[in-house]
Amino acid sequence: MPFFRSHVLVCAGGACVSSGCKDVKSVLIEKLKEYKLDKEIKVVETGCVGCCELGPIMTIYPEGIFYQKIKPSDVEEIVVEHFLKGRVVKRLLYTPPKYKEAVLTIKEIPFFKRQQKNVLRNCGLINPQVIEEYIARDGYQALVKVLTEMTPEEVIAEIEASGLRGRGGGGFPTGLKWKFTRASKGNEKFVVCNGDEGDPGAFMDRSLLEGDPHAVIEGMIIAGYAVGSKQGYVYVRAEYPLAIERLSWAINQAREKGLLGENILNTDFTFDIEIRRGSGAFVCGEETALMISIEGKRGQPRPRPPFPAQKGLWDAPTLLNNVETYANVPLIILKGAKWYSQIGTKGSKGTKIFALAGDINNTGLVEVPMGTSLGDIIFDIGGGIPKGKKFKAAQSGGPSGGCIPAQHLNVPIDYDSLQELGAIMGSGGLIVMDEDTCMVDMARFFMDFVQDESCGKCPPCREGTKKMLEILTRITQGKGKEGDIELLEELAYTIKDSALCGLGQTAPNPVLSTIRYFRDEYEAHIKEKRCPAVVCSALFRAPCQHTCPLGQDVPGYVALIADGRFEEALALIRQTNPFPGILGRICSHKCESKCRRGTLDEPISICRLKRFAADIEREKGKQIITPIGPKREEKVAIIGAGPSGLACAHELSKRGYNVVVFDSLPFAGGMLRVGIPEYRLPSEVIDYEVGIIERMGVEIRLNTTIGKDISFNSLRNDFDAIYIATGAHINQRLNIPGEDMKGVLSGIDFLRDISFGKKVDIGEKVLVIGGGNAAIDAARSALRLGAKNVTMVYRRREEDMPAYEEEIKEALKEGVKINTLLGPKEIKGNGKVTHLVCNIMALREFDIQGRRKPYPTDQEIIMDADSIIVAIGQIADLSFLDGVSPMLKKGKTIKVDKYSMMTDIEGIFAGGDVTTGPLDAVNAVAAGIKAADNIDKYLRNKKGEGPWEEEKIKFNIPIIIEEELKEKPRILMPENPPAERIADFREVELGYTEKMAMEEAKRCLRCDLELED
Amino acid sequence: MKKLTIEDLKRIRDEVRESLKIREGESPIKIIVHMGTVGIASGAREVLKAFAEEIEKRGITNVTLTQAGHLGIDSKCPLVSVIRPGEPRVTYGSITPDQVSRILVDHALGGKIITEWLVSKEEV
C-alpha cells in the first residue's frame, strides 16, 4: 500500500460544506500538486467532526494538528509553511474559550476531551464514500458474526441484553421491539429507518448519514436478519440532500460488493435498501404518518394499536427505528451487550449523541455516556455561554420537550430523569438559551411551529394549538389578560389527553414547562406589560429604557446631548430620576447590556452620558427647583436617608406631602455616602442632589435613631404613613475561628470609618475577603490608605465575582491582586492578626443559581497579613422593630406585598435593601419612587380622591442619525492614571468633555424610532 | 464488480487498517526530520522522502514520520531525531538519503544508537 507520511482530514459535514470546505479542499489538492507533495500527503474528505462553529477545518495526522476557520487564501501558506517546511501556521490554530493560548492538536481541545465517541467513532475519521475505510475499521464484521455465528433469536437477545433504547426520543426498548416484530405473523416484513429528523436544531441523524452511512446500513441489515425481513427503507427528509447523496453512494457501493442484495457474503440471506425522501412535514417523523407517506399517501397519523410491529407498511409487520438506533447495533454485536451495558445509567444504557445549538460557544455534535449532567455538557464540553452572558435554560426535546433552568443543571441526562422535570431527552437536540431569551416568546415560537406542522386530522391539535398560539401571541404583544396563564394550562392538559398522535400530545410541553419555571415572566408580560428579557418589541420603545428600573427615556436624553441641548437632557432625565449625578457614576447600568449598538461594536455609554449632563449643571452652580404640586395636609415619615428613602421623599414632596426623613448618621446618603468611597462618588455630588430635595421643603433629621431617640410607635401616632428604607448595614460574619481578633475589620465599618475621615491603621499587608463591590471598594480604599500589598481572597473564580467588571478591572490596574478558589478557614495571630489560613477550593456540582459550588479540598494555603477585612455581604438591622410586630419580619428582611409595598400593618410601607437584601442603588431608587406612588394612592383612597395626575413636559427630541453606519467603539473615559491616583481619594474618572459626550451620543441607533407609513 | 466473500472482508480490513493507523495519532516511536531554511537547503526534503520510501518498501506501520523546525545546529544539517519510549532523544547530523535505512532499522526499530552519526543525546 502506498505510504503517505501525512493524512490531511478535511471535514465535509453539512456545516463545513456551507462554510466553503469544498473550495479549501480543491485549492489544497492543487497546491500540493504544484509543490510536488501530492505523493506524500493524502487528502481525505470526512464526515462531521463535531465542532461545527469552527469550520472549515483540517486535522493533520499523525500529529493531529488542528487548523480552523480556513479560507481558500490560507491554503498556500499551509502547504508551504507546514508541509514543506515543517512550521506550524500559528494563526490558524484554535484557542478554546477562556484559554490564554491556542492549542496545537485536536486531542487537547476540551470540547473533545470529555466526549466518548462510540457511535461517532468513524465520523470525521474516514471518508464515508470509500467503503474500504469503513471495512478497515471493523466495518461489516458485525454482519459477518451475525450471519455465521448467531441465530436471529440470539441477535435479538443480545440487543435486549444491551439495554439499547430507541434514540428517536421515545426510548422504547429496542430489543423488545425487534422481538415483537419477529413474532408477528406475515410472509413479508419490512425494516424502516426514520431519518426525518424534524426537530428544529437537531442534526445528529443528518451527521451520521453524511459521515458514516455504512454504520446505519450494517445496522439495518442485521435488523432485517433478526426480524426476518428482506427489504429496508430509509426515510430521509428532502432537506438533507448531502445525506441522501452520501447514503445513496454507500448503498450502491455495498450492493456492488455483495453486502446488500441476494446472497449477502455468499450466505443465503437476502436484504436490500431503498431511500424514500420526505417532503419536509414534521408530522412525517411520527412513525404511523411516516409509513403512510412511504406508501405514497398524505402523511397523517393513525391510532395505535395496531403498532407497526404488528401492522405497518402496507399492513405488513414493520420494524421502525431511528438512524442513531441502527448505528448502535454493529457496536453492540461486535463488542457485546455486556460491554455496552456498562456505559450509561441503570435505565439508559450506552452513549447518546446531542446537537448543541443556540447561545453556546462550541456549537456542534457531542457524544457522551447517558447520565452525563446537563451542566457538564453545556459548560465543560460546550464551552459555556458566549459574551459572558448568563445561562437561562436549555430546551431539550425540541417542540415536544421542555426547558431545563439553571437550578437543574446537575440533572443527569437520560430518558427517565428529565421526565420529572417536565422535559424529555427527545432525539438529542439541545438548544441553549441565555439571559436575552424571552421564555414566553420561546414557547410561542414552538407553538407556531407545531401549528404549522399539525396535519389537521384531530380537533384537539388542530384547534387547540391554534387557540394556545393566539393566547401566547397576544401576551407577547402586550395584550395579555388575567386568567390567560390558567387558560393555557387548562388547554394544555386537555390537548395532551385527547390528541391523536405524539405531535399533538407533546405540543403543549414547551408552554407547560416555561410556565412551570418562568411563571414570573408570563406575569410580567400580563400584569406589568413588561418583557424582562427585552425581546417582545411590542411592549417597549427601546431596550435600554425597558431594562432601566426607572424607565429613563434614554434615547431621548442621549439625542438631546448629541444636539448640544444639555439643560433639556438633564430636565428629561430628572423627570424619572432624582439622582443623575450619583447614578451616572455608580449605576449597574444593565441598560448597556441590552443596548443594540453593543451587537455592532460597543454599547452606548448611557451611564456616563447621564453623569455628563448632571455635572454640567452642578459645575455651573445652578440651583435646580423642582415644581411642587398643591400642598396637602398629610405627613409622611421616612426612616432612612439613603437612596430609597430620599427618592421617596422627593416624589412625595413633589405631590405636595409633608415629609420628614430620619437617619442615624450625621449626613444624608445612606450607603451612597458611607459605603461607596469618594474616588467613585464624591460627597459634594451627593450633597448637591440632596440639597435639591431639601429645598423642596423636605425635613431631614440627622443623628436621629428610630428605636432609640424616637420610638417607632410614636411615629405611628404622629404621621399618616411610614416608609421604612433603612437598608442593610450590618456586616455578615465569616464564622471562622479568630474572627474577633484585633486587626480583623468589618468591611462596612472600614468603609464607614473612612467616610468619617478617620485614619484607619491597616498596616502594609492587607487581605480582603469577598468578591462583591463592597470588597473591591475596601481593597481599593486600603491601597489609598497606604497599604503596600492588597490581596483579595475569593472562594470562587474571577468570572464568578458579583462585583462590576469595570470595578474589577480598575482594581487590578491599581495593583490589587485577586486570589481565587480560596476558602477562609481560620484566622491566626497572637492577640493581633498575623495569618489567614485558607482551604484551596474545588468546584463541583451546580447550585440553584447555576454556579458551580466550591468545596474545600484538604490542601491549605497560609497568607500573612497585618489586617484582614471581611466583606462578604450585608444584612439589615431590624432591631428597631423589636416589640412592634413579628408579622413585619421575614427572616432577615421586612415582609411586604410585591405590588403595594405595604407591610402587614396598614400604612406602613418598606422598600430597598431592607426588603430585598443588598441590591443595586438604582433598584433602591426605583423602589422609593414606587413606594411614594403607593403611599399617595393609599392616602388619596382614604379620602376618596382620584389618582395623582402629572403634567409631564414634552421635549422635542431631535433625530440625528449617522448616514453611514460604521463600526466605532465607544469614546474612552479619561481617568487619572492608576499609579498616581492611589495616593489619595481623588475621583478616578474625569468625565466626558462636551465634545466627547456629543460624539458618543451620536453613536446611538435610536431604537425608539419607528417608520411612519 | 466482484462480490466480496467473508475472507475478502478480512483481507481488505487487514490491508487498509495499517494505512489508517496514522489517523489514530502518533506512534510511540517517532522519526523527526528537522526542516527550516538551512535544513531544506542542505537536503532535508530528500531525507524525508527517503524515509517515506523505506517505510513503504518495508511495510512498517508502527513508526511515525514527522517534521519539525530547525534545531539550531546549522553546520550539521540535515538533522534527524529518533524518539523511542523511555529512551533518551537522539539526534543525528549531516544525514543523507543513503543513511536512512540504517537509522530506521537499527535504531528506530532495533533500539541501537548509531554513535558515529550522533550529534546530541537528551534525557527525556
Side-chain angles (χ1 to χ4, degrees):
Chain A
M1 287 232 76
F3 172 70
F4 289 90
R5 67 168 170 88
S6 185
H7 287 207
V8 182
L9 271 51
V10 179
C11 176
C16 282
V17 172
S18 314
S19 338
C21 72
K22 294 280 186 193
D23 287 338
V24 168
K25 182 187 163 203
S26 54
V27 178
L28 179 64
I29 291 178
E30 194 191 301
K31 291 294 168 187
L32 284 174
K33 215 167 174 158
E34 194 184 306
Y35 285 90
K36 300 204 178 40
L37 290 165
D38 52 314
K39 298 280 186 291
E40 298 174 38
I41 316 282
K42 184 172 172 142
V43 178
V44 184
E45 214 179 80
T46 70
C48 182
V49 173
C51 45
C52 304
E53 190 72 32
L54 304 178
I57 60 164
M58 249 185 230
T59 316
I60 302 173
Y61 287 101
E63 302 87 352
I65 293 175
F66 182 80
Y67 290 136
Q68 45 100 51
K69 300 229 169 93
I70 304 171
K71 297 193 279 294
S73 52
D74 294 324
V75 174
E76 183 155 20
E77 189 182 341
I78 295 175
V79 172
V80 171
E81 290 299 304
H82 184 125
F83 294 118
L84 214 49
K85 296 190 191 160
R87 284 203 277 248
V88 172
V89 183
K90 291 213 170 84
R91 68 178 176 82
L92 292 174
L93 293 174
Y94 171 57
T95 309
K98 302 210 186 103
Y99 271 51
K100 296 211 167 68
E101 274 174 24
V103 298
L104 186 63
T105 64
I106 192 171
K107 268 199 321 254
E108 301 166 72
I109 298 178
F111 178 67
F112 294 115
K113 268 201 205 156
R114 285 207 53 177
Q115 292 191 46
Q116 200 171 332
K117 288 201 191 270
N118 290 350
V119 181
L120 286 175
R121 71 193 173 292
N122 290 329
C123 230
L125 222 52
I126 64 167
N127 185 338
Q129 301 190 253
V130 176
I131 194 174
E132 287 80 6
E133 294 203 357
Y134 180 70
I135 294 172
R137 286 172 65 85
D138 289 330
Y140 290 109
Q141 287 299 323
L143 181 60
V144 170
K145 185 171 176 188
V146 159
L147 291 178
T148 58
E149 294 172 34
M150 298 171 83
T151 64
E153 288 76 12
E154 282 168 343
V155 174
I156 294 176
E158 191 74 357
I159 299 296
E160 265 187 300
S162 73
L164 176 66
R165 289 168 70 169
R167 293 291 193 255
F172 189 84
T174 307
L176 205 56
K177 197 184 258 192
W178 289 25
K179 203 181 200 162
F180 289 153
T181 314
R182 177 160 191 84
S184 292
K185 303 233 179 312
N187 286 335
E188 200 181 20
K189 294 184 188 172
F190 296 106
V191 168
V192 175
C193 174
N194 187 343
D196 188 63
E197 194 164 60
D199 280 356
F203 52 96
M204 305 74 58
D205 295 343
R206 169 171 71 72
S207 305
L208 268 172
L209 289 171
E210 287 172 0
D212 196 11
H214 285 287
V216 182
I217 294 171
E218 190 177 358
M220 285 179 75
I221 305 174
I222 293 174
Y225 177 79
V227 304
S229 159
K230 293 213 299 251
Q231 180 65 46
Y233 292 96
V234 182
Y235 188 87
V236 191
R237 53 174 23 209
E239 287 100 321
Y240 283 173
L242 190 57
I244 294 172
E245 191 186 302
R246 302 257 171 93
L247 181 64
S248 268
W249 181 276
I251 290 174
N252 284 335
Q253 271 201 324
R255 222 180 260 134
E256 279 169 6
K257 304 278 187 201
L259 293 158
L260 275 175
E262 290 189 6
N263 302 114
I264 294 176
L265 289 172
N266 287 342
T267 65
D268 54 16
F269 180 59
T270 295
F271 188 82
D272 210 334
I273 297 178
E274 270 180 43
I275 298 178
R276 285 285 191 270
R277 282 183 282 183
S279 299
F282 180 65
V283 72
C284 286
E286 193 277 338
E287 60 181 12
T288 58
L290 189 155
M291 291 186 300
I292 292 181
S293 171
I294 293 182
E295 292 176 15
K297 305 192 206 117
R298 181 170 184 263
Q300 268 184 335
R302 58 157 175 78
R304 293 169 299 174
F307 290 91
Q310 286 121 14
K311 245 181 167 191
L313 207 46
W314 294 293
D315 282 346
T318 303
L319 174 68
L320 202 145
N321 271 136
N322 169 268
V323 168
E324 194 181 335
T325 311
Y326 286 118
N328 269 271
V329 169
L331 259 181
I332 293 173
I333 299 295
L334 268 184
K335 291 191 139 175
K338 190 147 172 262
W339 166 84
Y340 190 83
S341 61
Q342 275 160 2
I343 306 167
T345 63
K346 185 150 164 264
S348 308
K349 299 292 181 196
T351 56
K352 178 78 189 79
I353 304 175
F354 291 96
L356 269 184
D359 301 318
I360 188 118
N361 273 318
N362 299 333
T363 321
L365 223 51
V366 170
E367 184 176 354
V368 287
M370 291 279 199
T372 306
S373 81
L374 178 65
D376 285 355
I377 293 177
I378 293 178
F379 291 98
D380 292 352
I381 300 176
I385 318 295
K387 299 200 190 135
K389 297 272 183 185
K390 266 175 60 186
F391 169 77
K392 188 161 182 182
Q395 178 74 11
S396 173
S400 308
C403 63
I404 307 167
Q407 66 252 41
H408 291 299
L409 277 171
N410 293 318
V411 67
I413 305 218
D414 70 17
Y415 290 106
D416 310 304
S417 60
L418 293 187
Q419 279 190 357
E420 287 166 43
L421 299 181
I424 59 169
M425 190 171 67
S427 61
L430 260 182
I431 302 185
V432 182
M433 296 172 281
D434 69 11
E435 60 192 78
D436 291 336
T437 309
C438 173
M439 302 312 282
V440 184
D441 180 59
M442 212 270 302
R444 186 202 56 81
F445 166 78
F446 278 119
M447 191 55 73
D448 188 36
F449 174 83
V450 161
Q451 242 290 296
D452 209 36
E453 299 287 344
S454 167
C455 76
K457 186 166 171 183
C458 71
C461 180
R462 185 181 74 239
E463 301 297 328
T465 59
K466 184 161 173 201
K467 192 71 198 155
M468 286 184 78
L469 177 62
E470 265 174 37
I471 299 173
L472 287 165
T473 308
R474 255 197 308 105
I475 296 176
T476 58
Q477 286 173 345
K479 302 194 189 120
K481 299 195 285 265
E482 279 290 336
D484 272 346
I485 300 178
E486 291 73 16
L487 184 55
L488 279 172
E489 285 175 311
E490 198 186 323
L491 278 168
Y493 288 117
T494 310
I495 296 170
K496 276 171 82 72
D497 271 339
S498 52
L500 176 59
C501 82
L503 189 152
Q505 286 156 10
T506 58
N509 285 352
V511 178
L512 284 174
S513 166
T514 48
I515 292 178
R516 174 171 171 176
Y517 295 114
F518 298 97
R519 197 186 189 100
D520 54 325
E521 262 188 74
Y522 280 85
E523 286 179 351
H525 280 74
I526 295 171
K527 293 195 189 160
E528 300 168 61
K529 304 296 185 255
R530 185 171 62 92
C531 175
V534 198
V535 169
C536 301
S537 48
L539 277 83
F540 56 85
R541 290 173 71 228
C544 46
Q545 184 173 15
H546 198 67
T547 311
C548 176
L550 299 175
Q552 295 248 266
D553 185 355
V554 175
Y557 81 71
V558 170
L560 286 167
I561 291 177
D563 205 23
R565 291 151 60 182
F566 309 136
E567 214 175 291
E568 285 177 84
L570 183 64
L572 177 56
I573 293 170
R574 293 196 63 87
Q575 279 187 352
T576 46
N577 178 358
F579 303 122
I582 294 171
L583 289 175
R585 285 167 164 78
I586 56 127
C587 188
S588 51
H589 54 70
K590 297 248 161 58
C591 51
E592 293 182 14
S593 73
K594 299 285 193 190
C595 173
R596 297 273 191 260
R597 181 91 198 198
T599 59
L600 176 64
D601 37 49
E602 287 185 303
I604 306 301
S605 209
I606 299 171
C607 184
R608 301 313 194 239
L609 281 174
K610 184 165 34 252
R611 170 192 163 160
F612 164 79
D615 282 359
I616 287 260
E617 295 305 297
R618 182 171 57 82
E619 276 149 25
K620 281 195 210 146
K622 195 164 163 168
Q623 299 264 304
I624 293 182
I625 310 286
T626 316
I628 301 175
K631 215 73 181 87
R632 298 183 64 95
E633 296 183 328
E634 296 96 331
K635 293 181 0 204
V636 181
I638 298 178
I639 311 179
S644 199
L646 289 175
C648 184
H650 176 265
E651 187 63 26
L652 281 173
S653 180
K654 214 167 75 173
R655 301 186 188 201
Y657 290 93
N658 303 291
V659 183
V660 181
V661 186
F662 300 89
D663 200 296
S664 321
L665 290 169
F667 22 63
M671 209 44 123
L672 300 170
R673 188 72 169 74
V674 298
I676 301 180
E678 286 273 326
Y679 62 79
R680 283 179 70 201
L681 179 57
S683 45
E684 64 244 29
V685 175
I686 305 178
D687 292 340
Y688 178 79
E689 299 197 322
V690 172
I692 298 172
I693 298 178
E694 283 178 310
R695 274 199 305 281
M696 293 165 79
V698 169
E699 189 191 334
I700 305 182
R701 278 197 224 163
L702 300 168
N703 296 304
T704 311
T705 307
I706 306 300
K708 203 174 79 162
D709 304 311
I710 303 182
S711 79
F712 187 79
N713 283 320
S714 69
L715 284 183
R716 292 169 76 177
N717 288 331
D718 299 341
F719 291 87
D720 299 290
I722 302 178
Y723 180 53
I724 306 175
T726 46
H729 290 254
I730 298 184
N731 211 44
Q732 245 184 330
R733 288 177 61 83
L734 274 170
N735 290 323
I736 59 172
E739 193 170 359
D740 296 307
M741 220 180 285
K742 190 155 174 278
V744 181
L745 307 171
S746 129
I748 298 301
D749 292 349
F750 173 65
L751 291 168
R752 189 187 311 125
D753 286 346
I754 296 178
S755 76
F756 273 64
K758 291 200 192 141
K759 278 265 163 278
V760 188
D761 180 19
I762 45 170
E764 296 212 337
K765 203 163 189 312
V766 178
L767 296 176
V768 178
I769 302 176
N773 285 325
I776 298 267
D777 286 340
R780 294 175 73 187
S781 299
L783 273 180
R784 284 158 171 78
L785 291 181
K788 294 280 181 297
N789 213 310
V790 178
T791 307
M792 291 182 68
V793 172
Y794 182 56
R795 58 201 219 104
R796 293 180 144 100
R797 302 165 300 178
E798 192 178 309
E799 65 221 65
D800 298 319
M801 290 173 75
Y804 299 166
E805 243 184 79
E806 59 215 40
E807 286 293 304
I808 299 173
K809 243 191 348 203
E810 294 304 313
L812 290 170
K813 266 157 67 177
E814 288 172 1
V816 172
K817 289 190 261 321
I818 303 180
N819 287 354
T820 54
L821 290 170
L822 291 176
K825 184 179 172 205
E826 188 182 346
I827 297 176
K828 288 197 148 139
N830 47 10
K832 189 174 178 297
V833 73
T834 53
H835 292 90
L836 173 68
V837 181
C838 292
N839 287 111
I840 297 185
M841 307 298 268
L843 293 175
R844 302 225 300 252
E845 80 277 6
F846 294 88
D847 63 20
I848 57 165
Q849 285 170 348
R851 290 186 303 174
R852 285 206 185 265
K853 262 203 219 171
Y855 283 85
T857 65
D858 42 10
Q859 275 187 294
E860 284 182 3
I861 284 196
I862 304 180
M863 307 163 80
D864 45 67
D866 296 324
S867 313
I868 298 178
I869 304 177
V870 179
I872 58 170
Q874 304 89 48
I875 48 179
D877 181 356
L878 300 177
S879 57
F880 70 101
L881 291 175
D882 289 343
V884 176
S885 169
M887 289 197 308
L888 286 178
K889 299 191 198 177
K890 183 174 104 177
K892 300 199 178 92
T893 59
I894 296 184
K895 188 170 69 152
V896 288
D897 175 86
K898 185 174 168 189
Y899 293 102
S900 73
M901 296 175 75
M902 194 150 66
T903 63
D904 285 341
I905 302 181
E906 203 198 294
I908 302 186
F909 300 75
D913 285 3
V914 78
T915 60
T916 59
L919 279 183
D920 306 328
V922 68
N923 295 102
V925 173
I929 297 176
K930 188 164 161 215
D933 190 49
N934 284 330
I935 293 172
D936 180 36
K937 273 200 192 74
Y938 163 73
L939 291 173
R940 281 167 181 273
N941 253 341
K942 265 182 151 188
K943 295 217 171 122
E945 289 175 41
W948 157 259
E949 270 161 27
E950 187 181 358
E951 275 285 347
K952 274 211 168 122
I953 302 176
K954 285 229 175 324
F955 294 86
N956 190 355
I957 312 291
I959 299 179
I960 304 171
I961 301 192
E962 292 170 356
E963 272 305 320
E964 228 191 275
L965 200 54
K966 288 184 295 256
E967 257 189 59
K968 187 178 160 196
R970 54 162 61 169
I971 307 292
L972 272 177
M973 172 62 68
E975 55 177 41
N976 274 314
E980 289 171 27
R981 69 193 190 215
I982 55 174
D984 50 42
F985 282 75
R986 73 185 81 158
E987 196 170 3
V988 169
E989 287 184 23
L990 298 170
Y992 281 145
T993 60
E994 278 187 36
K995 183 159 171 277
M996 289 171 156
M998 289 174 70
E999 206 183 317
E1000 177 62 15
K1002 289 201 175 95
R1003 292 192 324 121
C1004 175
L1005 296 177
R1006 296 301 304 276
C1007 305
D1008 61 311
L1009 294 175
E1010 281 173 12
L1011 276 175
E1012 268 179 16
D1013 296 319
Chain B
M1 197 115 324
K2 183 183 170 268
K3 295 199 190 232
L4 297 177
T5 63
I6 293 174
E7 287 70 36
D8 288 330
L9 264 184
K10 288 207 168 68
R11 184 185 37 87
I12 295 174
R13 178 186 68 175
D14 295 339
E15 270 176 23
V16 183
R17 177 192 291 191
E18 294 306 319
S19 72
L20 289 192
K21 252 191 169 176
I22 193 176
R23 296 182 208 170
E24 281 160 44
E26 295 176 310
S27 300
I29 303 177
K30 289 203 263 278
I31 295 177
I32 306 172
V33 180
H34 295 274
M35 305 305 231
T37 328
V38 183
I40 295 176
S42 43
R45 282 207 42 74
E46 284 69 31
V47 170
L48 184 68
K49 274 223 268 252
F51 270 112
E53 279 163 20
E54 276 299 313
I55 287 173
E56 181 175 334
K57 202 170 76 185
R58 294 168 189 273
I60 294 170
T61 53
N62 58 338
V63 175
T64 290
L65 174 65
T66 181
Q67 302 162 303
H70 187 42
L71 259 188
I73 316 167
D74 286 12
S75 55
K76 295 266 197 254
C77 283
L79 293 158
V80 173
S81 296
V82 178
I83 297 181
R84 284 171 51 89
E87 293 174 30
R89 177 196 179 112
V90 167
T91 307
Y92 297 114
S94 306
I95 299 304
T96 57
D98 52 332
Q99 292 169 295
V100 150
S101 66
R102 235 188 112 186
I103 294 176
L104 180 62
V105 177
D106 289 2
H107 187 166
L109 293 175
K112 227 173 100 186
I113 300 177
I114 306 162
T115 39
E116 313 91 271
W117 303 337
L118 192 61
V119 164
S120 84
K121 200 165 88 168
E122 235 178 85
E123 294 300 327
V124 171

